[in-house]
Amino acid sequence: MGRARAFHSSHRATPLVTAVALLGLVAGCGSGADAGGTVRPPAGTSSGTATADTGSTASGPGTTEPGTTGPGTDTGSPVTQSAAAAPRCHTSELRAKIGRPSPGAGQRNFPIVLTNTTDRTCTVRGYPGAAFVDASGKQLGPDPKRSPYTPTSVSLAPGRSAWAGLSFASPEISGARTAVPKALLVTPPDERDPLEVAWTHGEVPVAGNESSVRLTVFQPGTGG
């Protein structure tokens, strides 16, 4: 899809992929940043709203289950999952980053971290949308696949974070064709406008054997 969906998005729409592509999907209007600091997806990236569909794709070698291996949860964070009354977090209210990578046996795991930048509590639920792009804004590789987990609402107090996993098999082991992205476009669950995050972690698989990138649902903490 030409806009990115992400490793996991919200439960109301469908799934980060057509929601991410990489953790949901990114909707596309243009490639420039808007006044809120978000970046419109470039033409050619996958489109759609990142959603919380649990998905049915089987786990692969690049998949880590939330709360087990891979980036860990930040148990010290006062983020809660009892967020029935809190409104959804919008793209303009969030900051995105790639957390500390956590290598696994033959795979690379990265937490996609969203932080609430406002003075109100809001929630995220499901998979992010995600897509790797080059310097021209063109999407690299197919949309990510969603690992089948049950989404839960994560309540973010001001300044607090939630993370979703992004993983793929190590290209030197899988033999996949690779490219080095300029950025990762991350779309929060149920949103259409993505956030652009500089990608500084080298090559990613874009075609061939074991080239799938996988996303997991959001959970509390920073994954570090």
Side-chain angles (χ1 to χ4, degrees), residues 147-171:
S147 296
Y149 300 117
T150 301
T152 56
S153 293
V154 181
S155 178
L156 301 182
R160 298 304 174 181
S161 304
W163 72 279
L166 181 157
S167 63
F168 52 84
S170 300

Side-chain angles (χ1 to χ4, degrees), residues 50-155:
T51 70
D53 190 323
T54 56
S56 59
T57 304
S59 299
T63 300
T64 55
E65 180 174 359
T68 56
T69 59
T73 55
D74 180 0
T75 56
S77 173
V79 181
T80 68
Q81 290 181 297
S82 55
R88 181 178 89 242
C89 297
H90 298 293
T91 300
S92 60
E93 300 171 314
L94 298 167
R95 178 176 66 249
K97 73 173 185 178
I98 305 299
R100 184 176 61 188
S102 175
Q107 66 179 23
R108 299 179 186 175
N109 308 302
F110 302 89
I112 296 176
V113 182
L114 294 181
T115 300
N116 182 2
T117 63
T118 71
D119 58 1
R120 70 167 187 132
T121 296
C122 62
T123 64
V124 294
R125 178 186 175 87
Y127 299 85
F132 289 112
V133 294
D134 63 16
S136 69
K138 179 182 178 181
Q139 181 172 336
L140 299 172
D143 293 336
K145 296 180 179 180
R146 294 179 175 185
S147 296
Y149 300 117
T150 301
T152 56
S153 293
V154 181
S155 178

